[in-house]
Amino acid sequence: MKKEKYKVLGVMSGTSLDGIDCAVVEFIHQNDQWTYDFLQGTTISYPGEWTEKLRTAITLSISDLHLLNIEYTCFLSELLNEFIIENQLTDLDFIASHGHTVLHQPEKGFTLQIGNLPIVADMFSIPFVCDFRVQDVALGGQGAPLVPIGDRLLFADFDYCLNLGGFSNISFEDENKRIAFDICPVNTLLNYFAQKEGFLFDDKGKIAQQGKINMALFDALNTLGFYRQPAPKSLGMEQVNEIYLTLIHSYTLSNYDILATITEHIAFQIAQVIKKKNARLLVTGGGAFNTFLIERVKYYLPDTKVEVGSRELTDFKEAIIFAFLGVLRMENINNVLSSVTGAKHDHCSGIVYGM
């Protein structure tokens, strides 16, 4: 399938469990350049039962994970079908979906995104493109991050593209190579401790702003081995549970002080990565609405122009780019960069159902 224009439904579910992002995007390819128009988008919140199922999925046995995968695939298919019908999307070329990551262990050659089973194709009369990470891991890569190909081709005006989701990850050009990697946990930790205070998340960082930074914990977080590892590198919930939360719980602190310390840690670690002077930094993802965190990032980067994306881009950038990954897959163009993931070579990833 090679076309000048594609209309795609991009679907993303992140580790912060905010919900399922659905973005309808039109991509145009002219004069060797890609542009896009964002047509509409929504975030479908998870029912409480699904939030809990996905949060605890990491503890399941292989057989129970298989059953959860089937159940989630059916659940996702029904939601997307309802979205398509309600919005009268009769002219979509295909759906491109990330699925939901429950296991990510690239060092063991394994990653699992549920919601990508062949049964999903039975619901739709158009192709379904999914499972973008598995091939990269099989080629020795981290399977993440995958967004940087979109950063390179759609957001080249920025020196750095930073996403603040469940984890912070960054993408930039270095000697004509795209470099990208996970920096540190963000909403996976912030939401966890905000929820202990009865909030779904720390709205605008107001809880953290009331706490005090614990320098002992701040220093301990900054000396974690992950930060000394060279790129490419990525994080998963395994590291959050086994390393970060274990360390944080070893300190007797209020949740307010923990949130203040984590927020400072995130801003500090982001600043360690921005080396270029007078750079333009695009910030997207749910964490971009944490105004206190953005203030702390600006504090550490006084010479950097920190630009929070538009509401649409901030909310739906990953869904937009996974739609774009689907376009590249349908065009049989490489959509994963080895300089980013560490795979043996650049490649075109994604499974297509319903063709």
Side-chain angles (χ1 to χ4, degrees), residues 38-41 289 309-317 320:
F38 179 89
L39 303 180
Q40 67 185 96
F289 299 117
S310 67
R311 180 81 196 207
E312 291 174 349
L313 183 58
T314 299
D315 280 342
F316 297 107
K317 180 171 180 259
I320 291 168

Side-chain angles (χ1 to χ4, degrees), residues 35-316:
T35 57
Y36 78 93
D37 287 319
F38 179 89
L39 303 180
Q40 67 185 96
T42 191
T43 298
I44 304 170
S45 298
Y46 280 115
E49 62 176 301
W50 268 108
T51 301
E52 189 60 24
K53 283 180 181 180
L54 295 175
R55 193 191 315 279
T56 58
I58 194 172
T59 65
L60 297 179
S61 66
I62 297 299
S63 59
D64 285 341
L65 267 178
H66 178 66
L67 293 174
L68 180 68
N69 198 353
I70 295 172
E71 186 182 3
Y72 182 78
T73 303
C74 294
F75 167 74
L76 179 64
S77 300
E78 290 171 2
L79 285 183
L80 295 182
N81 193 47
E82 289 173 9
F83 178 80
I84 289 170
I85 293 171
E86 287 174 4
N87 293 281
Q88 300 179 356
L89 300 174
T90 58
D91 56 347
L92 290 174
D93 288 298
F94 60 88
I95 302 167
S97 178
H98 170 268
H100 185 84
T101 299
V102 293
L103 293 175
H104 185 64
Q105 301 172 11
E107 70 283 354
K108 297 179 181 177
F110 187 77
T111 187
L112 173 64
Q113 288 71 46
I114 61 174
N116 295 330
L117 296 175
I119 55 174
V120 74
D122 298 337
M123 185 73 73
F124 307 104
S125 58
I126 55 174
F128 188 86
V129 189
C130 61
D131 231 351
F132 292 97
R133 298 192 187 275
V134 172
Q135 178 173 290
D136 189 73
V137 172
L139 287 170
Q142 290 284 307
L146 299 189
V147 167
I149 186 68
D151 291 340
R152 168 182 274 183
L153 298 179
L154 299 177
F155 303 101
D157 290 343
F158 292 90
D159 298 293
Y160 297 90
C161 292
L162 173 69
N163 179 68
L164 298 176
F167 301 92
S168 59
N169 48 68
I170 199 159
S171 162
F172 55 93
E173 294 290 328
D174 184 23
E175 297 182 353
N176 297 318
K177 285 186 178 182
R178 197 75 191 180
I179 305 299
F181 50 89
D182 285 348
I183 299 175
C184 61
V186 181
N187 291 333
T188 47
L189 287 177
L190 296 178
N191 291 358
Y192 177 89
F193 288 101
Q195 286 161 15
K196 287 185 174 295
E197 291 296 319
F199 301 93
L200 286 176
F201 58 95
D202 187 3
D203 184 27
K204 298 180 181 178
K206 293 175 183 176
I207 305 174
Q209 200 165 8
Q210 297 175 61
K212 294 182 179 180
I213 299 168
N214 181 280
M215 291 308 299
L217 175 57
F218 178 74
D219 291 339
L221 286 167
N222 288 327
T223 56
L224 288 173
F226 179 77
Y227 301 121
R228 295 191 298 274
Q229 294 177 21
K233 56 183 178 177
S234 60
L235 287 162
M237 284 306 298
E238 294 91 336
Q239 291 96 325
V240 170
N241 292 331
E242 296 169 13
I243 299 173
Y244 287 86
L245 287 178
T246 298
L247 173 60
I248 294 167
H249 285 312
S250 70
Y251 290 76
T252 305
L253 301 172
S254 72
N255 293 320
Y256 283 73
D257 290 352
I258 289 173
L259 283 165
T261 306
I262 294 171
T263 300
E264 197 73 7
H265 167 70
I266 294 165
F268 177 81
Q269 286 300 327
I270 289 169
Q272 304 312 297
V273 175
I274 309 296
K275 305 295 186 184
K276 186 175 180 180
K277 295 294 183 183
N278 302 313
R280 289 185 71 194
L281 169 65
L282 174 65
V283 185
T284 55
F289 299 117
N290 187 324
T291 51
F292 181 56
L293 173 57
I294 298 302
E295 285 174 13
R296 298 313 298 159
V297 171
K298 290 179 178 179
Y299 169 81
Y300 283 108
L301 293 171
D303 298 324
T304 299
K305 188 175 182 182
V306 179
E307 303 177 47
V308 174
S310 67
R311 180 81 196 207
E312 291 174 349
L313 183 58
T314 299
D315 280 342
F316 297 107

